[in-house]
């Protein structure tokens, strides 16, 4: 049986032993792993831990406000919010290929993060790495790394207090640390965020549509008491035909995806009650201008992936 209190004490002792002097930086996304690592780090290092939230513009609705409320206002963490939306949009302009989009988001993210690491003269990089991140699916273990170099040549020592935990254990620790439910039970969300939930080019207008649709999906799923591994909205590239009054009109198509899983390696499309799906559809087409069609993805993983691209 996993003992969260014991883990918390041991993790704190490990951080105390490893981090001797200077500042530690952590990228805080609001996801449960980075949140738990940051709270553990903060409890030992106090203001010597600098949490950086890079707002790339592809976060879910209200996410930035939630993060500021929990980590800065409630927990008193040394949090820096970097608003970098325009940089990301500019870098992504005209890019449609999913892997290129991922690479661009990753590259700009590192640039922004590196600027912050330099600004605060960080010596250590704390990360919410958990066991499945470094254990290969075959059971083999990837070579251990304990220094993280940033592109500028700046070398930071890695601090990874959650290395031996699995997701369910991280959630237990999050609850034991008193983190609010919207963090401890938060659904996994890809690093590039909504940028990979928009098929094709990412524009501010398309982000707005998928953000609203996603918020409706999450709200209605929660209201219905459902607990999927992930549930979200995706915006299709092509428009499909719809009707506006008595004329045919081309509108956006939104797909809803909700899956059950234990580790994201495989997943099953969730059996969502028809009434919940219809409420989501009515709200999306009623509240978001220009959306005329809503689909539900019934495909398991495999053969599909969880995300659409
Ligand atoms: P797939 O789509 O491969 O997703 O079945 C498996 C899990 O990984 C998440 N995912 C990502 N996470 N960066 C991330 O940090 C990414 O580029 C990315 N792509 C997929 C996905 O949400 C699911 O939990």
């Amino acid at each position: 049986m996993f003992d969260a209190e014991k883990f918390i004490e041991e993790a704190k002792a490990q951080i105390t032993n490893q981090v001797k002097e200077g500042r530690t930086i952590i990228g805080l996304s609001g996801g449960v792993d980075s949140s738990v690592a940051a709270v553990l780090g903060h409890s030992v290092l106090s203001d010597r831990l600098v949490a950086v939230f890079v707002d790339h513009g592809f976060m879910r609705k209200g996410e930035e406000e939630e993060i500021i409320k929990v980590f800065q206002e409630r927990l008193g963490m040394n949090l820096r919010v970097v608003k970098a939306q325009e940089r990301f949009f500019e870098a992504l302009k005209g890019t449609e290929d999913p892997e290129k989009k991922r690479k661009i988001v990753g590259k700009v993210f590192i640039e922004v993060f590196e600027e912050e690491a330099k600004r605060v003269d960080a010596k250590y990089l704390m990360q919410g790495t958990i066991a499945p991140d470094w254990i290969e699916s075959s059971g083999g273990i990837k070579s251990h790394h304990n220094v993280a170099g940033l592109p500028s040549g700046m070398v930071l020592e890695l601090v990874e207090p959650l290395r031996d935990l699995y997701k369910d254990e991280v959630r237990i620790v999050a609850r034991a640390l008193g983190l609010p439910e919207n963090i401890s039970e938060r659904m996994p969300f890809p690093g590039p965020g909504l940028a990979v939930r928009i098929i094709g080019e990412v524009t501010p207008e398309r982000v707005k549509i998928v953000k609203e649709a996603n918020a409706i999906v999450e709200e209605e799923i929660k209201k219905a008491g459902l607990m999927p591994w992930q549930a979200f909205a995706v915006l299709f590239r092509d428009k499909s035909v719809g009707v506006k009054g008595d004329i045919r009109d081309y509108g956006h198509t939104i797909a809803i995806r909700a899956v059950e899983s234990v580790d994201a390696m495989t997943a099953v499309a969730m059996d969502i009650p028809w009434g919940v799906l219809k409420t989501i559809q009515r709200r999306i087409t009623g509240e978001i201008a220009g959306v005329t069609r809503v689909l539900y993805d019934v495909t398991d993983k495999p053969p599909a992936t969880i995300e659409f691209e």
Side-chain angles (χ1 to χ4, degrees), residues 45-204:
L45 305 169
S46 191
D47 274 1
R48 284 167 57 216
L49 179 77
V50 182
V52 177
F53 171 66
V54 177
D55 187 355
H56 49 31
F58 314 128
M59 303 304 286
R60 286 167 286 191
K61 197 177 170 181
E63 213 154 27
E64 185 196 322
E65 292 80 355
E66 261 174 42
I67 287 169
I68 292 175
K69 200 149 96 195
V70 173
F71 296 96
Q72 197 168 53
E73 294 172 8
R74 195 174 132 182
L75 300 174
M77 213 175 266
N78 188 357
L79 175 71
R80 296 180 69 94
V81 177
V82 187
K83 289 184 174 293
Q85 289 100 318
E86 278 167 24
R87 255 168 100 163
F88 282 89
F89 275 126
E90 196 51 44
L92 281 168
K93 220 176 223 171
T95 309
E96 298 207 349
D97 179 80
E99 287 318 306
K100 281 195 188 128
K101 278 161 58 177
R102 279 190 170 80
K103 282 209 179 86
I104 291 170
V105 174
K107 183 171 163 274
V108 178
F109 189 95
I110 289 174
E111 281 168 16
V112 173
F113 194 77
E114 183 182 33
E115 287 164 15
E116 291 307 307
K118 266 195 202 147
R119 202 194 308 272
V120 303
D121 191 25
K123 298 271 180 289
Y124 298 86
L125 171 64
M126 182 174 274
Q127 285 189 327
T129 316
I130 63 171
D133 298 334
W134 60 275
I135 299 174
E136 277 178 347
S137 49
S138 63
I141 294 172
K142 284 182 186 159
S143 62
H144 183 78
H145 58 299
N146 55 13
V147 282
L150 288 168
S152 64
M154 192 175 178
V155 176
L156 303 172
E157 186 176 329
L158 275 182
V159 186
E160 296 179 315
L162 314 180
R163 274 185 72 81
D164 298 327
L165 300 192
Y166 286 83
K167 199 71 156 192
D168 55 328
E169 295 169 333
V170 181
R171 293 197 198 280
I172 296 171
V173 175
R175 288 176 215 130
L177 288 169
L179 278 165
E181 216 174 80
N182 61 353
I183 303 281
S184 67
E185 314 311 314
R186 206 175 199 83
M187 288 188 272
F189 186 61
L194 301 176
V196 291
R197 302 247 171 105
I198 292 168
I199 317 287
E201 192 182 359
V202 177
T203 63

